[in-house]
């Protein structure tokens, strides 16, 4: 592991310059051409490492990069199932963000839109794979999959991610670390929309004829918010509401958008049942709900814990202690873990400010984490 660490330190400059190229290719999820251009950069890098590269074209969202690194000699192969290294190249930042958040190295950090989440992670993956190849230690196929729509829930890439994951023995997700820790559990995510229809009426002249949709919605907001169970880790948060036309009109319409986080897969059915059973208190109003669980939870499975324990052992050989964390945020690791594939997440950047102005990566951790990833690819 010490040799890997020295190797990762030697590669830090090229890792940073690759990251810089990826960050300069701004790639908001909504801009297919921009994401495709960023994906093409990573594809070129993978080709330079002799990967067999397949770009999965997408119609609306960014293309997917699938790069396969296969052991040359059958004799050196362990015959194990491939390892999937998973990440995304889209970001939450619109084109032009670089003007106010330039890509630069300063104060021991690399700054820039999407640097931490997760272009550094993609560059770390390519660098760790390069190290494994150069050391002649590739004994198990590695599949690097970089998607282009993760930040908007992976609507287009999910089937491909799941199909590839099913053929793999382990999934390493290059999302940022949680503080200094790898992630072994993530909550599942649900999105629901509640729409209430009432009856419009003049608030002064015909008050009794009206059925107030906003009042009815307020009751529904209270009801669903009450399903939160902090002890269990289940949360229901109404994030956006709207409704009404004018203050002197009894409103005929109101709606709310609801964020649901579930720690366990069994909670999904419960939530679906409860939302479906929402009924108006005022019979003249109607309540319609749509939505559902968009990401299943990544539960802390035995296989994932085994991966984490291996990572912790290798980290201690590198001279640092690796923490384990869980989070309420989702990633594509949710999909692979839900299929029962051991999935270790948070293997990318250490830094702070994902999705925020101060998004930045701590340079001190780059080489050790890249070495750790390389170790995980060969042990
Ligand atoms: Zn991310």
């Amino acid at each position: 592991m010490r040799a890997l660490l020295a190797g990762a330190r030697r590669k830090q400059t090229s890792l940073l310059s690759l990251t810089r190229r990826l960050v300069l290719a701004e790639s908001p999820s909504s801009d297919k051409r921009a994401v495709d251009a960023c994906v093409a950069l990573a594809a070129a890098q993978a080709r330079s490492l002799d990967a067999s590269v397949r770009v999965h074209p997408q119609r609306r969202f960014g293309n997917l990069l699938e790069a396969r690194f296969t052991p040359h000699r059958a004799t050196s192969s362990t015959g194990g199932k491939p390892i999937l290294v998973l990440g995304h190249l889209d970001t939450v930042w619109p084109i032009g963000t670089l003007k106010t958040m330039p890509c630069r190295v300063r104060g021991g950090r690399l700054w820039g839109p999407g640097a931490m989440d997760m272009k550094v992670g993609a560059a770390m993956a390519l660098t760790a794979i390069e190290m494994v190849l150069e050391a002649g230690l590739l004994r198990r196929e590695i599949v690097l999959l970089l998607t282009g729509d993760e930040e908007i829930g992976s609507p287009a890439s999910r089937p491909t991610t799941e199909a590839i994951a099913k053929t793999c023995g382990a999934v390493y997700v290059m999302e940022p670390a949680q503080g200094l820790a790898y992630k072994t559990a993530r909550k599942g995510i649900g999105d629901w929309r509640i729409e209430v229809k009432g009856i419009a009426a003049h608030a002064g002249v015909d008050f009794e004829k009206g059925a107030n949709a906003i009042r009815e919605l307020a009751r529904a907001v209270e009801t669903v918010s009450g399903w939160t169970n902090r002890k269990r880790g289940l949360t229901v948060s109404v994030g956006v509401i709207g409704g009404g036309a004018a203050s002197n009109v009894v409103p005929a319409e109101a709606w709310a958008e609801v964020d649901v986080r579930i720690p366990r897969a069994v909670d999904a059915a419960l939530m679906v049942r409860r939302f479906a059973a929402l009924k108006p208190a005022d019979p003249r109003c109607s309540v319609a709900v749509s939505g559902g669980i968009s990401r299943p939870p990544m539960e802390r499975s035995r296989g994932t814990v085994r991966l984490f324990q291996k990572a912790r052992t290798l980290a201690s050989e590198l001279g640092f202690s690796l923490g384990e964390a869980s989070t309420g945020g989702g990633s594509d690791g949710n999909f692979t873990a839900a299929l029962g594939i051991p999935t270790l997440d948070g293997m990318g950047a250490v830094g702070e400010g994902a999705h925020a102005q101060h998004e930045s990566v701590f340079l001190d951790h780059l080489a050790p984490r890249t070495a750790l990833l390389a170790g995980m690819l060969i042990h």
Side-chain angles (χ1 to χ4, degrees):
M1 288 304 291
R2 290 281 166 184
L4 285 177
L5 182 55
R9 290 202 198 288
R10 281 196 299 274
K11 291 217 179 282
Q12 176 141 334
T13 309
S14 62
L15 196 167
L16 282 174
S17 82
L18 173 59
T19 306
R20 197 179 156 75
R21 291 205 302 280
L22 294 174
V23 173
L24 291 179
E26 290 179 291
S27 52
S29 318
S30 58
D31 189 331
K32 172 176 168 55
R33 269 178 52 186
V35 176
D36 287 352
C38 189
V39 168
L41 287 176
Q45 183 70 18
R47 279 196 196 95
S48 78
L49 300 176
D50 277 341
S52 78
V53 168
R54 178 171 169 204
V55 175
H56 298 252
Q58 301 290 321
R59 209 165 47 81
R60 257 185 81 194
F61 301 107
N63 295 337
L64 279 70
L65 167 64
E66 175 189 349
R68 285 183 182 266
F69 302 86
T70 313
H72 282 311
R73 282 161 298 154
T75 46
S76 64
S77 166
T78 58
K81 283 185 177 179
I83 298 173
L84 173 59
V85 181
L86 183 57
H88 64 87
L89 285 173
D90 59 317
T91 77
V92 297
W93 298 103
I95 300 280
T97 302
L98 280 168
K99 288 196 196 85
T100 51
M101 287 171 61
C103 181
R104 58 184 174 177
V105 171
R106 185 188 273 185
R109 302 186 190 195
L110 173 78
W111 305 76
M116 177 188 183
D117 187 8
M118 53 154 281
K119 290 181 174 177
V120 162
M124 287 167 68
L126 283 158
T127 303
I129 291 168
E130 184 179 11
M131 289 166 53
V132 169
L133 294 171
E134 285 176 359
L137 292 172
L138 183 69
R139 296 201 185 89
R140 196 171 158 186
E141 185 174 37
I142 300 170
V143 188
L144 173 66
L145 181 67
L146 297 173
T147 69
D149 59 351
E150 194 274 347
E151 294 290 4
I152 49 169
S154 311
S157 61
R158 179 177 181 173
T160 306
T161 301
E162 291 182 333
I164 295 176
K166 278 182 195 160
T167 66
C168 292
V171 181
Y172 299 166
V173 186
M174 298 309 298
E175 291 284 351
Q178 175 101 335
L180 292 171
Y182 276 4
K183 301 168 197 178
T184 54
R186 287 180 179 271
K187 287 182 187 176
I189 304 175
D191 309 282
W192 267 274
R193 186 179 165 93
I194 304 171
E195 287 189 42
V196 179
K197 293 249 183 298
I199 300 168
H202 191 296
V205 182
D206 279 328
F207 179 81
E208 309 78 22
K209 290 186 181 155
N212 192 315
I214 290 180
R215 189 172 182 210
E216 194 60 52
L217 179 69
R219 291 193 189 101
V221 167
E222 266 304 291
T223 302
V224 303
S225 300
W227 298 338
T228 291
N229 183 337
R230 294 282 299 280
K231 232 169 99 189
R232 192 175 169 77
L234 190 157
T235 59
V236 181
S237 174
V238 179
V240 194
I241 60 166
S247 66
N248 62 354
V249 179
V250 176
E253 282 173 353
W255 53 267
E257 287 173 3
V258 190
D259 177 286
V260 175
R261 306 277 160 156
I262 55 169
R264 309 291 301 272
V266 293
D267 298 322
L270 172 73
M271 284 295 113
V272 169
R273 245 191 349 263
R274 281 185 160 172
F275 272 97
L278 270 181
K279 291 268 177 321
D282 181 339
R284 296 173 304 160
C285 289
S286 67
V287 174
V289 298
S290 54
I293 298 293
S294 53
R295 282 189 198 273
M298 167 178 154
E299 296 190 42
R300 189 177 179 275
S301 71
R302 266 216 298 272
T304 293
V305 169
R306 264 200 297 275
L307 288 180
F308 173 73
Q309 286 165 343
K310 184 162 81 176
R312 195 175 51 191
T313 304
L314 296 178
S316 72
E317 289 175 27
L318 288 168
F320 66 97
S321 78
L322 184 70
E324 177 186 358
S326 67
T327 173
S331 85
D332 286 339
N334 290 59
F335 300 139
T336 63
L339 293 171
I341 321 294
T343 300
L344 194 53
D345 203 333
M347 297 180 72
V350 173
E352 64 178 4
H355 299 198
Q357 288 284 335
H358 60 294
E359 173 164 9
S360 52
V361 174
F362 302 155
L363 298 184
D364 280 356
H365 293 278
L366 265 185
R369 298 278 158 152
T370 304
L372 179 53
L373 174 62
M376 289 295 285
L377 290 171
I378 59 180
H379 283 88

